[in-house]
Amino acid sequence: KAGVTQTPRYLIKTRGQQVTLSCSPISGHRSVSWYQQTPGQGLQFLFEYFSETQRNKGNFPGRFSGRQFSNSRSEMNVSTLELGDSALYLCASSTGLRPNEQFFGPGTRLTVL
Amino acid sequence: TQLLEQSPQFLSIQEGENLTVYCNSSSVFSSLQWYRQEPGEGPVLLVTVVTGGEVKKLKRLTFQFGDARKDSSLHITAAQPGDTGLYLCAAAERAGGTSYGKLTFGQGTILTVHP
């Protein structure tokens, strides 16, 4: 069974630009969650999509948005990039049911200059 | 406010030693997961504990969920260099809650095992 894939693996952008990250979950999984990981804040939850609907949202500004398609693939968008958005963005796939075991992709390393 | 307190933050030991990592909270959780992450990669799920007092073993790793489902520990016996990595505990929804799409992570424990 193929794991979670994320593209691209690395991105370099400049302040003010926008970026779109992509995640393909494990086949059969309907839930996709996004996390931001930084050395200072650790892993922080951004949002979760289940069957194309945002089911849960973390405490991030509106510049961070996402969506999920009918095939469960998900995209995350960050607009008006700031230096502080530099981080490893992780996508996690799960069935969406308790006990909510999540399987992570390798992440996208975003650097904002 | 950090919901999950993980300790210690750093652990540097010699091959063959034993170690324990702790994950504590004042909240009750429906389940708790442990992950291991290597540099440049995503976290890999090691185990999920659901029942208070539950103990699970994975080779040299022993995981325990507290009776009150507020805390957990990871014990590694005879650590090996291959155990080196970032260990993370993560809690699913609070007991009785509905936010089961979200995991709250501890700050992590960086383990280095020297040959």
Side-chain angles (χ1 to χ4, degrees), chain A residues 33 37 55 98 100-102, chain B residues 33 37 48 93 100-101:
Chain A
S33 298
Q37 186 174 31
R55 189 166 65 169
R98 294 185 175 90
N100 193 29
E101 293 181 326
Q102 297 192 5
Chain B
Q33 297 163 28
Q37 184 179 22
T48 300
E93 59 172 326
Y100 41 87

Side-chain angles (χ1 to χ4, degrees), chain B residues 65-102:
Chain B
F65 202 13
D67 290 340
R69 289 186 290 140
K70 291 183 179 182
D71 56 88
S72 181
S73 64
L74 156 61
H75 182 79
I76 301 180
T77 304
Q80 299 176 0
D83 295 327
T84 293
L86 172 66
Y87 288 82
L88 295 155
C89 65
E93 59 172 326
R94 297 187 189 192
T98 58
S99 60
Y100 41 87
K102 168 186 177 180

Side-chain angles (χ1 to χ4, degrees), chain A residues 9 31 33 35 37 39-43 45 48 55-56 88 90 96-107 109, chain B residues 2 30-31 33 35 37 40-45 47-48 50 86 88 92-93 97-103 105-107:
Chain A
R9 289 293 308 273
S31 169
S33 298
Y35 295 84
Q37 186 174 31
Q41 297 299 316
L43 265 152
F45 173 78
E48 184 230 4
R55 189 166 65 169
N56 219 331
L88 180 67
L90 293 160
L97 306 173
R98 294 185 175 90
N100 193 29
E101 293 181 326
Q102 297 192 5
F103 300 88
F104 285 82
R109 171 71 63 187
Chain B
Q2 186 68 32
S30 61
S31 65
Q33 297 163 28
Y35 292 83
Q37 184 179 22
E41 298 296 328
V44 175
L45 179 65
V47 79
T48 300
V50 178
L86 172 66
L88 295 155
E93 59 172 326
T98 58
S99 60
Y100 41 87
K102 168 186 177 180
L103 288 180
F105 282 84
Q107 283 293 88

